Amino acid sequence: MTGPEIDRLMTLLGRLPGLGPRSARRVALHLIQKRDAAMLPLIAALSDVAERVRPCGVCGNFDTRDPCAVCADPRRDDSALCVVEDVADLWAMERAGAFSGRYHVLGGVLSALEGVGPEDLAIPALEARCAGGAVREVVLALGATVDGQTTAHVIADRLAEVAPGLTVSSLGQGVPVGGELDFLDDGTIGAALRARRPV
Amino acid sequence: MTGPEIDRLMTLLGRLPGLGPRSARRVALHLIQKRDAAMLPLIAALSDVAERVRPCGVCGNFDTRDPCAVCADPRRDDSALCVVEDVADLWAMERAGAFSGRYHVLGGVLSALEGVGPEDLAIPALEARCAGGAVREVVLALGATVDGQTTAHVIADRLAEVAPGLTVSSLGQGVPVGGELDFLDDGTIGAALRARRPV
């Protein structure tokens, strides 16, 4: 009863992460009802991003510029490099505002099960960036999953070969800020206990 | 760190119903990463709908045709008219597949609080459709809310004046299919008991 144009829009919206058929229908109706206020500005914004945003050739971040704003910022520290799985993680690090160095987006993590090897990720590019000697510390900000930790170990081993003097660290594990012990899993509590520190 | 183009896209996505800042960010990244497979088809589908879909001049449904596919379908019953609050409700009725007549979208419900009167809705147009004499039954498929039921009563009163012989009904109330008594509110249980029927 909705016609092929609206059906197609709802199908495409329903494929977006976090949207199902019901929310896709709601979004489609909202956009049709607010054509001038919501649909046309969204089309313009999407077209603008599709046309102008590209991955940064240095770090892999998305920006209209290449190198991206983070890579081009002269105030940032060239000696520290933060390795993240994807651009979402780079943005999360930037929101936290706790890191002032440069980034390197891997584009995934190693996975034997899914056949993702080092050459499928930006690991060779990372080695090339670190071999130059300007980078003195690499922070592996990868997820605390099996694949994330495997990837961290493989990267640490490979970087030790190409840049022997490099300091390689990974994010600390423990109780999240605002977290209650009662709601934490056993692995996190164990990791927090092992990482205990004097008060 | 994301540039004004991506920021603007995330802001617009975050205003869609059901999406917040976090899901808007996820959707934006997904679209940027899958430019050819997701972003460009979505832009094309949105542009197509924005350009071609309009409200039907007869019932208020959205379609590329005017009158819409439902109004133009010769197999549907001209003598029965289903009055709904908005197009989402029309689509819900059509999905249920239980009604074979025509529709009339009000565009809202009466609300003293929000200053919505009969002339702000498609109530005069409904009177005009019913005054012709071809319509013999009107089903008021409005929400079981205070405003929905007030609207139903006002419409029933006004239709009794312009089309005296017209049958006006509203949807039955009771236990939803698959519903368990334990999870139903008192009002629904009371309505179901009043609407009891012989087994």
Side-chain angles (χ1 to χ4, degrees):
Chain A
M1 70 290 185
T2 50
E5 297 82 8
I6 301 178
D7 273 350
R8 184 159 158 263
L9 176 60
M10 290 198 293
T11 305
L12 289 172
L13 287 171
R15 282 186 204 148
L16 297 177
L19 273 80
R22 189 180 288 262
S23 42
R25 200 158 54 224
R26 248 178 99 202
V27 168
L29 265 174
H30 172 87
L31 289 170
I32 296 171
Q33 278 161 346
K34 310 230 153 130
R35 186 174 171 273
D36 293 339
M39 175 125 63
L40 298 184
L42 181 62
I43 293 173
L46 280 167
S47 305
D48 205 25
V49 168
E51 204 171 294
R52 301 182 53 203
V53 171
R54 292 286 177 281
C56 168
V58 180
C59 75
N61 189 14
F62 292 123
D63 203 343
T64 48
R65 299 194 273 168
D66 187 3
C68 73
V70 176
C71 288
D73 188 344
R75 290 163 303 176
R76 298 190 74 113
D77 182 2
D78 279 318
S79 72
L81 202 59
C82 178
V83 176
V84 289
E85 182 178 335
D86 55 31
V87 175
D89 294 341
L90 190 162
W91 292 359
M93 288 294 296
E94 280 298 280
R95 279 198 304 281
F99 181 74
S100 62
R102 311 284 180 184
Y103 289 96
H104 193 84
V105 178
L106 287 183
V109 284
L110 297 173
S111 168
L113 214 64
E114 292 172 33
V116 180
E119 316 305 314
D120 300 317
L121 306 177
I123 292 179
L126 174 64
E127 291 174 321
R129 282 182 86 178
C130 293
V135 178
R136 283 204 293 269
E137 186 186 359
V138 166
V139 181
L140 299 172
L142 301 173
T145 58
V146 172
D147 284 344
Q149 294 310 300
T150 307
T151 309
H153 279 113
V154 169
I155 291 177
D157 287 349
R158 292 179 64 141
L159 290 182
E161 277 181 39
V162 296
L166 196 68
T167 306
V168 180
S169 60
S170 68
L171 294 181
Q173 285 197 307
V175 182
V177 175
E180 292 186 56
L181 287 194
D182 199 17
F183 293 97
L184 287 178
D185 61 294
D186 303 346
T188 301
I189 292 180
L193 191 64
R194 285 192 296 278
R196 65 186 177 278
R197 47 187 190 172
V199 180
Chain B
M1 72 291 184
T2 50
E5 297 82 8
I6 301 178
D7 273 349
R8 182 158 159 264
L9 176 60
M10 290 198 292
T11 305
L12 290 171
L13 287 171
R15 282 187 204 146
L16 296 177
L19 273 80
R22 188 180 288 261
S23 42
R25 199 158 56 223
R26 249 179 98 204
V27 168
L29 264 175
H30 172 87
L31 289 171
I32 296 171
Q33 279 162 344
K34 310 231 153 127
R35 185 174 171 274
D36 293 340
M39 175 125 64
L40 298 184
L42 182 62
I43 293 174
L46 280 168
S47 306
D48 205 25
V49 168
E51 203 172 296
R52 300 182 52 202
V53 171
R54 292 286 177 282
C56 168
V58 179
C59 75
N61 189 15
F62 292 122
D63 203 341
T64 48
R65 299 194 272 169
D66 188 2
C68 73
V70 176
C71 289
D73 187 344
R75 289 163 305 177
R76 298 190 76 112
D77 182 2
D78 280 317
S79 71
L81 202 57
C82 179
V83 176
V84 288
E85 182 178 336
D86 54 32
V87 175
D89 295 342
L90 190 162
W91 292 359
M93 288 293 296
E94 280 298 280
R95 278 198 305 280
F99 181 74
S100 61
R102 310 285 180 184
Y103 288 96
H104 193 84
V105 178
L106 288 182
V109 285
L110 298 174
S111 168
L113 215 64
E114 291 172 33
V116 181
E119 315 306 313
D120 300 317
L121 306 177
I123 292 179
L126 175 64
E127 291 173 323
R129 281 182 87 177
C130 293
V135 178
R136 283 203 293 270
E137 186 186 359
V138 167
V139 180
L140 300 172
L142 301 173
T145 59
V146 172
D147 284 344
Q149 295 308 300
T150 307
T151 309
H153 280 112
V154 169
I155 291 177
D157 287 349
R158 292 179 64 142
L159 290 182
E161 276 182 38
V162 296
L166 197 68
T167 307
V168 181
S169 59
S170 67
L171 294 182
Q173 285 195 308
V175 182
V177 175
E180 291 186 56
L181 287 195
D182 199 16
F183 294 96
L184 287 178
D185 62 294
D186 302 347
T188 301
I189 291 179
L193 190 64
R194 285 192 296 277
R196 65 187 177 276
R197 48 187 190 173
V199 180

